[in-house]
Amino acid sequence: ENITLVIDQKLIRDDEALGSILMTLFIIILLVVMMLSFQASYGKVNKDVVDPLILLTQEMNMVSMLEFEQTKMVPSDVVEVRDIQRTFLQMKNSLMSFALFAPRDVVVDMLSSGKEAALSVNEQEITVFFSHIDNFEELNQKTSSKKDLLIMLSKYFDVVTDAIADTNGT
């Protein structure tokens, strides 16, 4: 008994080639789907994390120079970023309050020096400006509200403070 087996090598190679093409096509499709998924995730990460942190950094730089503009921050959907934003706004409000009672230049110098404020004394020669407002007591009595008096004094001190600051005074 003789059995003759005929193997069509071309058919086998065609099947292997088709399998290889299908596997390559599957890998390419899988890679494209992964890239699109990554791009969508990256866009969300960019919107929820990167953009808020960039804006927060810009606002921190402004606050470090005691420039207190209206905040443009939108609370992030990411809890940790939102916590950082809230903490920053509390710090900003604290510095705004502190800046009301101390000369801006002094506070900016202190912040930019990087040194912690410390109670100390150093001897130096200074010039002190004293100001007397004629008839202040009468003005105080004639002014209908203490708020109006405060506004007038504030305007006066703004002019005086600017004149002192122009000559590098504090």
Side-chain angles (χ1 to χ4, degrees):
E1 293 181 22
N2 281 340
I3 298 177
T4 305
L5 184 60
V6 177
I7 300 176
D8 187 353
Q9 296 253 340
K10 183 178 181 312
L11 188 59
I12 292 174
R13 281 194 307 266
D14 287 350
D15 285 347
E16 287 176 354
L18 182 61
S20 179
I21 288 171
L22 290 175
M23 182 58 78
T24 303
L25 186 61
F26 173 75
I27 291 173
I28 289 172
I29 290 171
L30 184 63
L31 286 172
V32 168
V33 167
M34 289 173 60
M35 284 173 36
L36 292 173
S37 174
F38 176 75
Q39 187 176 15
S41 297
Y42 176 74
K44 181 146 178 59
V45 167
N46 202 33
K47 178 186 156 295
D48 292 342
V49 177
V50 176
D51 290 347
L53 289 178
I54 288 172
L55 184 56
L56 184 64
T57 302
Q58 291 168 347
E59 293 222 12
M60 287 176 132
N61 285 330
M62 288 177 16
V63 167
S64 73
M65 300 305 293
L66 295 185
E67 295 172 9
F68 302 112
E69 293 181 13
Q70 181 75 21
T71 186
K72 299 171 192 157
M73 282 192 292
V74 175
S76 173
D77 292 336
V78 178
V79 173
E80 294 81 2
V81 174
R82 193 171 51 245
D83 288 345
I84 293 170
Q85 288 174 323
R86 185 175 51 251
T87 302
F88 166 73
L89 290 174
Q90 289 171 340
M91 179 194 70
K92 180 179 176 181
N93 289 337
S94 298
L95 283 173
M96 283 172 54
S97 297
F98 179 64
L100 291 173
F101 301 103
R104 183 183 185 280
D105 294 341
V106 172
V107 178
V108 169
D109 287 345
M110 185 179 74
L111 291 174
S112 64
S113 75
K115 295 179 183 172
E116 200 172 308
L119 186 60
S120 65
V121 176
N122 53 326
E123 191 174 315
Q124 60 185 21
E125 192 172 312
I126 63 168
T127 301
V128 178
F129 172 78
F130 291 95
S131 176
H132 174 77
I133 300 173
D134 283 338
N135 302 319
F136 178 76
E137 190 173 327
E138 182 181 329
L139 180 66
N140 184 18
Q141 290 172 353
K142 286 183 179 178
T143 306
S144 59
S145 77
K146 298 304 174 196
K147 184 177 180 182
D148 291 341
L149 181 64
L150 179 63
I151 291 170
M152 284 190 290
L153 284 174
S154 181
K155 288 178 183 178
Y156 169 75
F157 286 127
D158 281 345
V159 171
V160 171
T161 302
D162 288 345
I164 292 171
D166 287 345
T167 58
N168 297 323
T170 300

